[in-house]
Amino acid sequence: MAIQKILVVDDSFTDRFYLTELLVDAGFTVMTAENGEECLEKVAAEAPDLVLMDVVMPGLNGFQATRALSKNPLTAHIPVIMCTGKEQATDRLWALRQGAKDCAIKPVQLDELLSKIRALENGQT
């Protein structure tokens, strides 16, 4: 599966801008959403190849939005990588239980993120 179009979901303008710049420079098409509700709307309308999801957001948080995507037959095929400042093993486990394919710790490093994207493309997660 080739990943070209990525939806970055984060309530922080700075984090959205940072991830967008990294990904655009790496050759991806990037869309953004500020919260879980907007994420679900954009996924339904735009069908991204990947969602990079923050955890802590007002309203529908990242865990809830990821669970909604993974439980919906129309969106379950879209992989989610959680991007979080939470480094606890329990946070990673919870993210995976909600349907995320992987987690990246903020501040996200480009090499690590590209490695995770390549693993998804190669079916390694």
Side-chain angles (χ1 to χ4, degrees):
M1 154 179 102
I3 293 176
Q4 297 294 321
K5 187 169 33 170
I6 300 175
L7 174 61
V8 173
V9 185
D10 201 306
D11 62 323
S12 162
F13 171 81
T14 303
D15 288 343
R16 282 193 319 273
F17 181 81
Y18 172 73
L19 283 171
T20 297
E21 290 294 304
L22 286 179
L23 294 165
V24 167
D25 288 349
F28 295 99
T29 300
V30 179
M31 306 172 297
T32 63
E34 294 183 24
N35 55 52
E37 292 88 351
E38 187 179 1
C39 166
L40 297 180
E41 292 170 9
K42 289 216 173 166
V43 167
E46 303 288 336
D49 302 316
L50 171 66
V51 176
L52 298 181
M53 182 84 71
D54 183 27
V55 173
V56 180
M57 296 181 288
L60 198 65
N61 70 39
F63 292 136
Q64 294 166 321
T66 298
R67 185 172 51 245
L69 291 172
S70 69
K71 298 293 183 199
N72 182 337
L74 299 175
T75 58
H77 68 284
I78 300 171
V80 175
I81 296 177
M82 303 295 291
C83 296
T84 178
K86 299 172 175 256
E87 297 186 52
Q88 299 290 332
T90 53
D91 294 315
R92 177 178 168 75
L93 178 62
W94 188 246
L96 297 175
R97 286 184 142 185
Q98 303 316 301
K101 297 298 183 190
D102 207 338
C103 294
I105 303 302
K106 289 181 179 180
V108 175
Q109 301 301 310
L110 180 60
D111 291 343
E112 176 191 5
L113 184 56
L114 291 177
S115 175
K116 291 177 183 298
I117 292 171
R118 280 193 290 278
L120 286 171
E121 288 178 323
N122 295 326
Q124 297 174 354
T125 60

